[in-house]
Coordinates of all heavy atoms in Angstrom, one line a residue:
R26 N -28.2 16.5 -0.2 CA -27.3 17.6 -0.5 C -26.0 17.0 -1.1 O -25.6 15.9 -0.8 CB -27.0 18.5 0.7 CG -28.2 19.2 1.2 CD -27.8 20.4 2.0 NE -27.1 21.4 1.3 CZ -26.7 22.5 1.8 NH1 -27.1 22.9 3.0 NH2 -26.1 23.4 1.1
V27 N -25.3 17.8 -1.9 CA -24.1 17.3 -2.5 C -22.9 18.1 -1.9 O -23.0 19.3 -1.7 CB -24.2 17.5 -4.0 CG1 -22.8 17.2 -4.7 CG2 -25.2 16.6 -4.6
G28 N -21.8 17.4 -1.7 CA -20.6 18.0 -1.2 C -19.4 17.7 -2.0 O -19.5 16.8 -2.9
L29 N -18.3 18.3 -1.8 CA -17.0 18.1 -2.5 C -16.0 17.7 -1.5 O -15.8 18.4 -0.4 CB -16.6 19.4 -3.2 CG -15.3 19.3 -4.0 CD1 -15.5 18.5 -5.2 CD2 -14.8 20.7 -4.4
V30 N -15.3 16.6 -1.7 CA -14.3 16.1 -0.8 C -13.1 17.0 -0.9 O -12.5 17.2 -2.0 CB -13.9 14.6 -1.1 CG1 -12.8 14.1 -0.1 CG2 -15.1 13.7 -1.0
V31 N -12.7 17.6 0.2 CA -11.5 18.5 0.2 C -10.3 17.8 1.0 O -9.2 18.3 0.9 CB -11.8 19.8 0.9 CG1 -12.8 20.6 0.0 CG2 -12.3 19.7 2.3
E32 N -10.6 16.7 1.7 CA -9.5 15.8 2.3 C -10.0 14.4 2.1 O -11.1 14.1 2.5 CB -9.3 16.2 3.7 CG -8.3 15.4 4.5 CD -8.2 15.7 5.9 OE1 -8.2 16.9 6.3 OE2 -8.2 14.7 6.7
T33 N -9.2 13.6 1.5 CA -9.6 12.2 1.2 C -10.2 11.5 2.4 O -9.7 11.6 3.5 CB -8.4 11.4 0.7 OG1 -7.9 12.0 -0.5 CG2 -8.7 9.9 0.4
I34 N -11.3 10.8 2.2 CA -12.0 10.0 3.2 C -11.5 8.6 3.0 O -11.6 7.9 1.9 CB -13.5 10.0 3.0 CG1 -14.0 11.4 3.0 CG2 -14.2 9.1 4.0 CD1 -15.5 11.6 2.6
R35 N -10.9 8.0 4.1 CA -10.2 6.7 4.0 C -11.2 5.6 4.5 O -12.1 5.9 5.3 CB -8.9 6.7 4.8 CG -8.0 7.9 4.5 CD -6.7 7.4 3.9 NE -5.8 8.6 3.6 CZ -5.5 8.9 2.4 NH1 -5.9 8.2 1.4 NH2 -4.7 10.0 2.2
P36 N -10.9 4.4 4.2 CA -11.7 3.2 4.6 C -11.7 3.1 6.2 O -10.8 3.6 6.8 CB -11.1 2.0 3.9 CG -10.2 2.6 2.9 CD -9.8 3.9 3.3
H37 N -12.5 2.2 6.7 CA -12.5 1.8 8.1 C -12.8 3.0 9.0 O -12.3 3.1 10.1 CB -11.2 1.1 8.5 CG -10.9 0.0 7.5 ND1 -11.6 -1.1 7.3 CD2 -9.8 -0.1 6.6 CE1 -11.1 -1.9 6.4 NE2 -10.0 -1.2 6.0
G38 N -13.7 3.9 8.6 CA -14.1 5.0 9.5 C -13.2 6.1 9.7 O -13.4 6.9 10.6
V39 N -12.1 6.2 8.9 CA -11.2 7.3 9.0 C -11.8 8.5 8.3 O -11.9 8.4 7.0 CB -9.7 6.9 8.5 CG1 -8.8 8.1 8.6 CG2 -9.2 5.7 9.2
A40 N -12.1 9.5 9.0 CA -12.8 10.7 8.4 C -11.9 11.5 7.6 O -10.7 11.7 7.9 CB -13.4 11.5 9.6
G41 N -12.5 12.1 6.6 CA -11.9 13.1 5.8 C -12.6 14.4 6.0 O -13.4 14.6 7.0
R42 N -12.6 15.3 5.0 CA -13.3 16.6 5.1 C -14.1 16.8 3.8 O -13.6 16.5 2.7 CB -12.4 17.8 5.4 CG -11.7 17.6 6.7 CD -11.0 18.9 7.2 NE -11.8 20.0 7.4 CZ -12.5 20.2 8.6 NH1 -12.5 19.3 9.5 NH2 -13.2 21.2 8.8
V43 N -15.3 17.4 4.0 CA -16.2 17.6 2.8 C -16.7 19.0 3.0 O -17.0 19.5 4.0 CB -17.4 16.6 2.9 CG1 -18.4 17.0 1.8 CG2 -16.9 15.2 2.6
R44 N -16.8 19.7 1.8 CA -17.3 21.1 1.8 C -18.7 21.0 1.2 O -18.9 20.5 0.1 CB -16.5 22.0 0.9 CG -17.1 23.4 0.8 CD -16.2 24.4 0.1 NE -15.0 24.7 0.9 CZ -13.8 24.6 0.5 NH1 -13.6 24.3 -0.7 NH2 -12.8 24.8 1.3
V45 N -19.7 21.5 2.0 CA -21.1 21.6 1.5 C -21.5 23.0 1.6 O -21.5 23.6 2.6 CB -22.0 20.7 2.4 CG1 -23.4 20.8 1.9 CG2 -21.6 19.3 2.5
G46 N -21.7 23.6 0.4 CA -21.9 25.0 0.4 C -20.7 25.8 0.8 O -19.6 25.6 0.3
T47 N -20.8 26.6 1.9 CA -19.7 27.4 2.4 C -19.1 26.7 3.6 O -18.2 27.3 4.2 CB -20.1 28.8 2.6 OG1 -21.1 28.8 3.6 CG2 -20.5 29.5 1.4
E48 N -19.7 25.6 4.1 CA -19.2 25.0 5.3 C -18.4 23.7 5.0 O -18.6 23.0 4.1 CB -20.4 24.6 6.1 CG -21.3 25.7 6.6 CD -22.5 25.2 7.4 OE1 -22.9 24.0 7.3 OE2 -23.0 26.0 8.2
E49 N -17.3 23.5 5.9 CA -16.5 22.3 5.9 C -16.9 21.4 7.1 O -17.1 21.9 8.2 CB -15.1 22.6 5.9 CG -14.5 22.9 4.5 CD -13.0 22.9 4.5 OE1 -12.3 22.2 5.3 OE2 -12.4 23.5 3.6
W50 N -17.0 20.1 6.8 CA -17.4 19.1 7.8 C -16.5 18.0 7.8 O -15.9 17.6 6.7 CB -18.8 18.5 7.5 CG -20.0 19.5 7.6 CD1 -20.3 20.4 6.7 CD2 -21.0 19.4 8.6 NE1 -21.5 21.0 7.1 CE2 -21.9 20.4 8.3 CE3 -21.2 18.7 9.7 CZ2 -23.0 20.7 9.1 CZ3 -22.3 18.9 10.5 CH2 -23.2 19.9 10.2
R51 N -16.3 17.3 8.9 CA -15.6 16.0 8.9 C -16.6 15.0 8.4 O -17.8 15.2 8.5 CB -15.3 15.6 10.4 CG -14.3 16.5 11.1 CD -12.9 16.6 10.5 NE -12.2 15.3 10.8 CZ -11.1 15.0 10.1 NH1 -10.6 15.8 9.3 NH2 -10.5 13.8 10.4
A52 N -16.1 14.0 7.6 CA -17.1 13.1 6.9 C -16.5 11.7 6.9 O -15.3 11.5 6.8 CB -17.3 13.6 5.5
Q53 N -17.4 10.8 7.0 CA -17.1 9.3 6.9 C -17.9 8.8 5.7 O -19.0 9.2 5.5 CB -17.4 8.6 8.1 CG -16.5 9.0 9.3 CD -16.8 8.2 10.5 OE1 -17.9 8.3 11.0 NE2 -15.8 7.5 11.1
C54 N -17.4 7.8 5.1 CA -18.1 7.2 4.0 C -19.0 6.0 4.5 O -18.6 5.3 5.4 CB -17.1 6.6 3.0 SG -17.9 6.0 1.4
D55 N -20.1 5.9 3.8 CA -21.1 4.9 4.2 C -20.7 3.5 3.7 O -21.3 2.5 4.1 CB -22.5 5.2 3.6 CG -23.6 4.4 4.1 OD1 -23.6 4.1 5.3 OD2 -24.5 4.0 3.3
G56 N -19.6 3.4 2.9 CA -19.2 2.1 2.3 C -17.8 1.9 2.7 O -17.1 2.6 3.5
P57 N -17.2 0.8 2.2 CA -15.8 0.4 2.6 C -14.7 1.0 1.9 O -13.6 0.9 2.3 CB -15.9 -1.2 2.3 CG -16.8 -1.3 1.1 CD -17.8 -0.2 1.3
G58 N -15.0 1.7 0.8 CA -13.9 2.3 0.0 C -13.4 3.6 0.4 O -13.9 4.3 1.3
E59 N -12.4 4.0 -0.3 CA -11.8 5.4 -0.2 C -12.5 6.4 -1.1 O -12.8 6.0 -2.2 CB -10.3 5.3 -0.5 CG -9.6 6.7 -0.4 CD -8.1 6.5 -0.6 OE1 -7.4 5.9 0.3 OE2 -7.6 6.9 -1.6
V60 N -12.7 7.6 -0.7 CA -13.2 8.6 -1.6 C -12.2 9.7 -1.7 O -11.8 10.4 -0.7 CB -14.6 9.2 -1.0 CG1 -15.2 10.2 -2.0 CG2 -15.5 8.1 -0.7
A61 N -11.7 9.9 -2.9 CA -10.6 10.8 -3.2 C -11.0 12.3 -3.1 O -12.1 12.7 -3.4 CB -10.0 10.5 -4.5
Q62 N -9.9 13.1 -2.8 CA -10.1 14.5 -2.8 C -10.6 14.9 -4.2 O -10.1 14.4 -5.2 CB -8.8 15.2 -2.5 CG -8.8 16.7 -2.4 CD -7.5 17.3 -2.0 OE1 -6.6 16.6 -1.6 NE2 -7.4 18.6 -2.2
G63 N -11.5 15.8 -4.2 CA -12.1 16.3 -5.5 C -13.4 15.6 -6.0 O -14.0 16.1 -6.8
A64 N -13.7 14.5 -5.3 CA -14.9 13.7 -5.7 C -16.1 14.4 -5.1 O -16.1 15.0 -4.0 CB -14.8 12.3 -5.1
E65 N -17.2 14.2 -5.8 CA -18.5 14.7 -5.3 C -19.2 13.6 -4.5 O -19.1 12.4 -4.9 CB -19.5 15.1 -6.4 CG -19.1 16.4 -7.1 CD -20.2 16.9 -8.0 OE1 -21.0 16.1 -8.6 OE2 -20.2 18.1 -8.2
V66 N -19.8 13.9 -3.4 CA -20.4 13.0 -2.6 C -21.8 13.4 -2.2 O -22.1 14.6 -2.3 CB -19.7 12.7 -1.2 CG1 -18.4 12.0 -1.5 CG2 -19.5 14.0 -0.5
E67 N -22.7 12.4 -1.9 CA -24.1 12.8 -1.5 C -24.1 12.6 0.0 O -23.6 11.6 0.5 CB -25.0 11.7 -2.1 CG -26.4 11.9 -1.7 CD -27.4 10.8 -2.3 OE1 -26.9 10.1 -3.2 OE2 -28.5 10.8 -1.8
V68 N -24.7 13.6 0.7 CA -24.8 13.6 2.1 C -26.0 12.7 2.5 O -27.1 13.0 2.1 CB -24.9 15.0 2.7 CG1 -25.1 14.9 4.2 CG2 -23.7 15.8 2.4
L69 N -25.8 11.6 3.3 CA -26.8 10.8 3.6 C -27.5 11.2 5.0 O -28.7 11.2 5.2 CB -26.3 9.3 3.8 CG -25.7 8.7 2.6 CD1 -25.1 7.4 2.9 CD2 -26.7 8.7 1.5
R70 N -26.6 11.6 5.9 CA -27.1 12.1 7.2 C -26.0 12.8 8.0 O -24.9 12.7 7.7 CB -27.7 10.9 8.0 CG -26.7 9.9 8.4 CD -27.3 8.7 9.1 NE -26.4 7.7 9.5 CZ -25.9 6.7 8.7 NH1 -26.3 6.7 7.4 NH2 -25.0 5.8 9.1
V71 N -26.5 13.4 9.1 CA -25.5 14.1 10.0 C -25.5 13.2 11.2 O -26.5 12.8 11.8 CB -26.0 15.5 10.4 CG1 -25.1 16.1 11.4 CG2 -26.1 16.4 9.2
D72 N -24.2 12.9 11.7 CA -24.1 12.1 12.9 C -23.2 12.9 13.9 O -22.0 12.8 13.8 CB -23.4 10.8 12.5 CG -23.2 9.8 13.7 OD1 -23.8 10.1 14.7 OD2 -22.6 8.8 13.5
G73 N -23.9 13.6 14.7 CA -23.1 14.5 15.6 C -22.5 15.6 14.8 O -23.2 16.4 14.2
T74 N -21.1 15.6 14.9 CA -20.4 16.7 14.2 C -19.8 16.2 12.8 O -19.0 16.9 12.2 CB -19.3 17.2 15.0 OG1 -18.4 16.2 15.3 CG2 -19.8 17.9 16.3
H75 N -20.2 15.0 12.4 CA -19.7 14.4 11.2 C -20.9 14.2 10.2 O -22.0 14.0 10.6 CB -19.2 13.0 11.4 CG -17.8 12.9 12.1 ND1 -17.7 13.3 13.4 CD2 -16.6 12.6 11.6 CE1 -16.4 13.2 13.7 NE2 -15.7 12.7 12.6
L76 N -20.5 14.2 8.9 CA -21.5 13.8 7.8 C -21.2 12.4 7.5 O -20.0 11.9 7.5 CB -21.3 14.7 6.6 CG -21.5 16.2 6.8 CD1 -21.3 16.9 5.5 CD2 -22.9 16.5 7.3
I77 N -22.2 11.7 7.2 CA -22.1 10.3 6.6 C -22.4 10.5 5.1 O -23.5 11.0 4.7 CB -23.1 9.3 7.3 CG1 -22.9 9.3 8.8 CG2 -22.8 7.9 6.6 CD1 -21.4 9.0 9.3
V78 N -21.5 10.1 4.2 CA -21.6 10.4 2.8 C -21.4 9.1 2.0 O -20.9 8.1 2.5 CB -20.6 11.5 2.3 CG1 -20.8 12.8 3.1 CG2 -19.2 11.0 2.5
R79 N -21.7 9.2 0.7 CA -21.4 8.1 -0.2 C -21.0 8.8 -1.6 O -21.5 9.9 -1.8 CB -22.5 7.1 -0.4 CG -23.7 7.6 -1.2 CD -24.5 6.3 -1.6 NE -25.8 6.9 -2.0 CZ -27.0 6.6 -1.4 NH1 -27.0 5.8 -0.3 NH2 -28.1 7.1 -1.8
P80 N -20.2 8.2 -2.4 CA -19.9 8.9 -3.7 C -21.1 9.1 -4.5 O -22.0 8.3 -4.5 CB -18.9 7.8 -4.3 CG -18.4 7.0 -3.2 CD -19.5 7.0 -2.1
R81 N -21.1 10.2 -5.1 CA -22.3 10.6 -5.9 C -22.5 9.6 -7.1 O -21.5 9.2 -7.7 CB -22.2 12.0 -6.4 CG -23.4 12.5 -7.0 CD -23.4 14.0 -7.1 NE -24.7 14.5 -7.5 CZ -24.9 15.6 -8.3 NH1 -23.8 16.3 -8.7 NH2 -26.1 16.0 -8.6
G82 N -23.7 9.2 -7.3 CA -24.0 8.3 -8.4 C -23.9 6.8 -8.0 O -24.2 6.0 -8.8
V83 N -23.5 6.5 -6.7 CA -23.6 5.2 -6.3 C -24.9 4.9 -5.6 O -25.2 5.6 -4.6 CB -22.4 4.9 -5.2 CG1 -22.5 3.5 -4.6 CG2 -21.1 5.2 -5.9
A84 N -25.6 3.9 -6.1 CA -26.9 3.6 -5.5 C -26.8 2.9 -4.2 O -25.9 2.1 -4.0 CB -27.7 2.7 -6.5
A85 N -27.7 3.2 -3.3 CA -27.8 2.5 -2.0 C -28.3 1.1 -2.3 O -29.2 0.9 -3.1 CB -28.7 3.2 -1.0
P86 N -27.8 0.1 -1.5 CA -28.3 -1.3 -1.8 C -29.7 -1.3 -1.3 O -30.1 -0.8 -0.2 CB -27.4 -2.2 -0.9 CG -26.5 -1.3 -0.1 CD -26.7 0.1 -0.6
G87 N -30.6 -2.0 -2.1 CA -32.0 -2.1 -1.7 C -32.2 -3.5 -1.1 O -31.3 -4.3 -1.0
P88 N -33.4 -3.7 -0.6 CA -33.7 -5.0 0.0 C -33.5 -6.2 -0.9 O -33.3 -7.3 -0.4 CB -35.2 -4.9 0.4 CG -35.7 -3.7 -0.3 CD -34.6 -2.9 -0.7
D89 N -33.6 -6.0 -2.2 CA -33.4 -7.1 -3.1 C -32.0 -7.2 -3.7 O -31.7 -8.0 -4.5 CB -34.4 -7.0 -4.3 CG -34.2 -5.7 -5.1 OD1 -33.5 -4.8 -4.6 OD2 -34.5 -5.6 -6.3
K90 N -31.0 -6.4 -3.2 CA -29.7 -6.4 -3.7 C -28.8 -7.1 -2.7 O -28.9 -7.0 -1.5 CB -29.1 -5.0 -3.9 CG -30.1 -4.2 -4.8 CD -29.4 -3.4 -5.8 CE -30.4 -2.6 -6.5 NZ -30.1 -2.2 -7.8
G91 N -27.8 -7.7 -3.2 CA -26.7 -8.3 -2.3 C -27.1 -9.6 -1.7 O -26.4 -10.2 -0.9
G92 N -28.3 -10.1 -2.0 CA -28.7 -11.4 -1.4 C -28.3 -12.6 -2.2 O -27.8 -12.4 -3.3
A93 N -28.6 -13.8 -1.7 CA -28.3 -15.0 -2.4 C -29.3 -15.1 -3.5 O -30.5 -14.7 -3.4 CB -28.3 -16.2 -1.6
S94 N -28.9 -15.7 -4.7 CA -29.9 -15.9 -5.8 C -30.3 -17.3 -6.0 O -29.7 -18.2 -5.5 CB -29.3 -15.4 -7.1 OG -28.0 -15.7 -7.3

């Protein structure tokens, strides 16, 4: 599912808020960066009362990415 950031999600696990449909959720980013208010995010999973999200259009690292060459 896709959501809209309504309160900036900060790095290091500092939750922001995301609207998905008509509901607002606390959300944390799956990566290290900040996700600004107004950005679209992809919902990866629900963790208790929080969503774990990543910016829309950012690919998840695969098993062949990020390794030594």
Side-chain angles (χ1 to χ4, degrees):
R26 295 198 63 175
V27 174
L29 180 70
V30 177
V31 295
E32 179 185 315
T33 299
I34 303 169
R35 308 243 182 248
H37 310 296
V39 179
R42 294 190 69 78
V43 171
R44 179 174 292 129
V45 179
T47 59
E48 298 181 335
E49 276 194 23
W50 292 76
R51 298 295 290 166
Q53 293 179 301
C54 187
D55 190 41
E59 179 174 290
V60 185
Q62 182 176 347
E65 286 190 335
V66 291
E67 178 183 350
V68 177
L69 302 177
R70 64 185 179 277
V71 177
D72 184 10
T74 60
H75 285 69
L76 299 179
I77 306 301
V78 301
R79 75 168 162 241
R81 192 161 187 215
V83 174
D89 62 339
K90 306 220 182 205
S94 43

